[in-house]
Amino acid sequence: MDPFLSAAIEEAERGLSEGGIPIGAVLVHQGRVLGRGHNRRVQQGSAVLHGEMDALERAGRQSGQVYRASVMYTTLSPCAMCTGAILLYGIPHVVVGENRTFMGEEEWLRSRGVRVDVVQDERCIRLMTEFIAAHPTLWYEDIGR
């Protein structure tokens, strides 16, 4: 069990317990978590606080060297906005919990040289499958459909 993916899943579960969308992320540099986050669109009335964006926000300002030597762990395939942030900061590696319930911009990341590992973790799949079934309107709002 990858402890960093587990930390991202804990964040997703925290978001769900707060009444939000269960997507979590952690930004890791040299084996240390710099920032943990989860989707807070509902909780904060935010248009942009997806899990990856929240993890970046909570990591605070970092040097380009740090970002270029970091890994983003996320429970769900990153959307275009989160992919853009990953590319903007030069994060070279993304570990995706699952992409069965939503296929984000993995090919865009790969086309820009980012290593993308998709693990199809059953916990991540279950969290999103159950959430989408219970809250389809909120889910489609979150992904802009």
Side-chain angles (χ1 to χ4, degrees), residues 58-77:
R58 291 172 180 274
R61 288 178 60 196
Q62 302 294 326
S63 72
Q65 282 182 311
V66 168
Y67 291 121
R68 289 188 300 273
S70 294
V71 181
M72 177 68 77
Y73 288 79
T74 180
T75 59
L76 187 64
S77 186

Side-chain angles (χ1 to χ4, degrees), residues 64-139:
Q65 282 182 311
V66 168
Y67 291 121
R68 289 188 300 273
S70 294
V71 181
M72 177 68 77
Y73 288 79
T74 180
T75 59
L76 187 64
S77 186
C79 73
M81 175 180 65
C82 295
T83 293
I86 290 164
L87 293 173
L88 176 68
Y89 291 107
I91 298 167
H93 186 191
V94 178
V95 177
V96 176
E98 69 101 354
N99 64 7
R100 291 183 188 164
T101 60
F102 176 76
M103 174 58 76
E105 300 294 337
E106 294 170 22
E107 288 309 312
W108 184 20
L109 288 166
R110 288 184 182 106
S111 77
R112 297 283 300 272
V114 176
R115 175 180 164 192
V116 179
D117 296 324
V118 181
V119 299
Q120 303 301 11
D121 184 275
E122 288 301 321
R123 296 167 300 167
C124 295
I125 295 167
R126 185 179 64 253
L127 268 170
M128 287 309 300
T129 301
E130 291 175 0
F131 179 81
I132 292 167
H135 306 282
T137 303
L138 182 54
W139 169 241

Side-chain angles (χ1 to χ4, degrees), residues 13 15 18 35 40-41 46 48-49 52 72 88 101 119 135 141 143 145:
E13 291 170 338
E18 294 169 356
R40 295 177 193 262
R41 289 188 70 247
S46 171
V48 297
L49 277 182
E52 300 91 337
M72 177 68 77
L88 176 68
T101 60
V119 299
H135 306 282
E141 172 192 318
I143 60 170
R145 292 191 183 149

